[in-house]
Amino acid sequence: MKNSHSESYAAAGVDVTAGYEAVKRIKPMVESTYIPGVMGTLGGFGGMFAPDMAGMKKPVLVSGTDGVGTKLKLAFLMDRHDTVGIDCVAMCVNDIVCGGAAPLFFLDYIACGKNDPGRIADIVSGITEGCRQAGCALVGGETAEMPGFYPVDEYDLAGFSVGMVDEEKIIDGKRLSQGDVLIGLPSTGVHSNGFSLVRKVFDVEHCDLKSPLDELGGKSLGDTLLTPTRIYVKAIQAVLKAGVDIKAVSHITGGGFYENVPRMMTEGLTARIELGSFPRLPIFDLIQKQGGIPERDMYNTFNMGLGMIFAVPASEAARAIDALKAAGETAYQVGSVVSGDAGVELV
């Protein structure tokens, strides 16, 4: 690449040498995520991974893809780009773990108006941190410089992950039964959903994002909203390693409780969730008050303090919570599975 430079392309707004500088900066971060199975290194045309399938009767690949959405607008306004990569990884691997799979590797896609190597390095630092939290490898990605399509100081971020699970250990909700217990794992905040509403409520382009607020425990609105999405891979794995029978899992993303919880239920069964069984984070009270948002709309848009819910037999609920506590995780018994076709009931 020493001889790669195009004056004509640079005049059109694309500096290929900036891309090479970005790769140079991110390479050590990418390699810090490598786990057994990674083949080659950054710079090839395709990321290679050789999975260890020892002990599996019928390995099944589970994939997930997602982006960060308009939460990126907050990153632009705050000029802080080192956390949104965690969101990107989280939105993919949290979906994968719902099926019982362990994520193996991740690839990112960054599209920008101008390739700023320092900013790209900040973004990738978050991606690599997310990969380390999820226990997967960042095996490749793409940075696309698109002048005239994106403003020079903006970008979009998306990703893709692949995991693996033995077919007989897939979590699909088919064995759910009345009386199963629902366990909730707390969120860190708004995560990466509902930001179109959040941005409208606070008029973020014109409000004070950086001053401390008493309602948020002294944190600023901007810092609170940029808090990265929690990654639940290791928490679910801790429960599975303890031998607990997880029957169904729901990642509480866009659409909140009313859209996501029914996705883990089977016909004739409903998740009854007790609203007082877990702490509701202050940011949601502030959003509701500022926007005059009805209670049901809040639970149909946001996670409200629970980022993941899973179902276990009642006889194994205490063991599941103990396994999570031993792993340094907080968990709440938030309800149960009952007869009915509502999908979810909040009581």
Side-chain angles (χ1 to χ4, degrees):
M1 298 181 185
K2 293 180 180 179
N3 296 322
S4 176
H5 179 71
S6 170
E7 294 289 349
S8 299
Y9 210 4
V14 178
D15 183 359
V16 294
T17 59
Y20 304 148
E21 174 62 24
V23 171
K24 180 181 177 181
R25 294 190 185 198
I26 68 176
K27 187 174 181 181
M29 291 186 284
V30 172
E31 291 178 345
S32 74
T33 71
Y34 285 179
I35 60 176
V38 174
M39 300 176 66
T41 187
L42 193 67
F45 288 99
M48 298 185 206
F49 193 93
D52 180 5
M53 296 181 285
M56 287 194 175
K57 296 178 181 178
K58 190 175 181 180
V60 176
L61 297 178
V62 182
S63 59
T65 186
D66 210 336
V68 182
T70 62
K71 184 174 185 175
L72 291 176
K73 289 287 189 180
L74 271 296
F76 305 155
L77 291 167
M78 295 287 288
D79 194 22
R80 183 178 174 187
H81 311 281
D82 60 347
T83 61
V84 290
I86 300 175
D87 291 292
C88 190
V89 175
M91 297 308 293
C92 297
V93 299
N94 284 345
D95 282 352
I96 286 174
V97 79
C98 288
L104 300 173
F105 58 83
F106 184 86
L107 291 93
D108 65 80
Y109 176 74
I110 305 169
C112 56
K114 181 177 177 57
N115 190 332
D116 178 337
R119 180 175 293 177
I120 297 299
D122 284 345
I123 297 168
V124 175
S125 72
I127 296 170
T128 56
E129 172 59 24
C131 286
R132 287 190 291 268
Q133 290 183 22
C136 66
L138 178 59
V139 296
E142 172 69 12
T143 300
E145 191 172 14
M146 303 166 66
F149 194 88
Y150 292 96
V152 294
D153 57 350
E154 293 191 3
Y155 57 87
D156 198 6
L157 175 61
F160 172 85
S161 188
V162 173
M164 186 169 64
V165 62
D166 204 347
E167 184 178 43
E168 64 183 18
K169 295 182 180 179
I170 290 175
I171 300 173
D172 57 13
K174 291 181 179 178
R175 296 180 297 103
L176 273 173
S177 59
Q178 186 174 344
D180 287 339
V181 167
L182 301 174
I183 295 174
L185 298 173
S187 71
T188 52
V190 183
H191 282 184
S192 193
N193 303 103
F195 272 86
S196 294
L197 178 55
V198 167
R199 289 167 45 239
K200 178 182 177 182
V201 165
F202 293 114
D203 189 15
V204 294
E205 284 81 6
H206 304 101
C207 77
D208 181 358
L209 291 171
K210 297 184 178 181
S211 296
L213 295 178
D214 291 339
E215 301 97 313
L216 300 177
K219 289 185 66 176
S220 71
L221 178 62
D223 285 340
T224 300
L225 293 174
L226 275 184
T227 302
T229 305
R230 187 178 174 196
I231 293 175
Y232 296 99
V233 173
K234 293 181 179 178
I236 295 297
Q237 288 176 339
V239 178
L240 292 173
K241 287 177 181 177
V244 175
D245 180 17
I246 298 180
K247 294 186 175 183
V249 186
S250 177
H251 181 201
I252 311 302
T253 57
F257 288 72
Y258 286 103
E259 182 174 319
N260 291 289
V261 177
R263 295 168 65 182
M264 78 173 184
M265 305 307 294
T266 52
E267 188 175 354
L269 294 175
T270 289
R272 179 172 290 164
I273 297 173
E274 300 168 11
L275 295 182
S277 61
F278 61 93
R280 172 168 159 158
L281 300 179
I283 183 60
F284 298 113
D285 293 329
L286 187 59
I287 292 170
Q288 184 173 20
K289 179 181 178 181
Q290 181 77 15
I293 301 171
E295 187 83 349
R296 193 188 189 285
D297 286 359
M298 292 294 295
Y299 283 92
N300 209 155
T301 307
F302 303 109
N303 66 64
M304 302 304 290
L306 284 187
M308 187 161 279
I309 298 172
F310 63 92
V312 299
S315 60
E316 300 185 35
R319 188 151 57 95
I321 292 175
D322 287 344
L324 287 163
K325 287 181 179 178
E329 304 282 350
T330 301
Y332 305 97
Q333 186 167 319
V334 299
S336 60
V337 176
V338 300
S339 177
D341 292 316
V344 63
E345 295 176 353
L346 306 183
V347 298

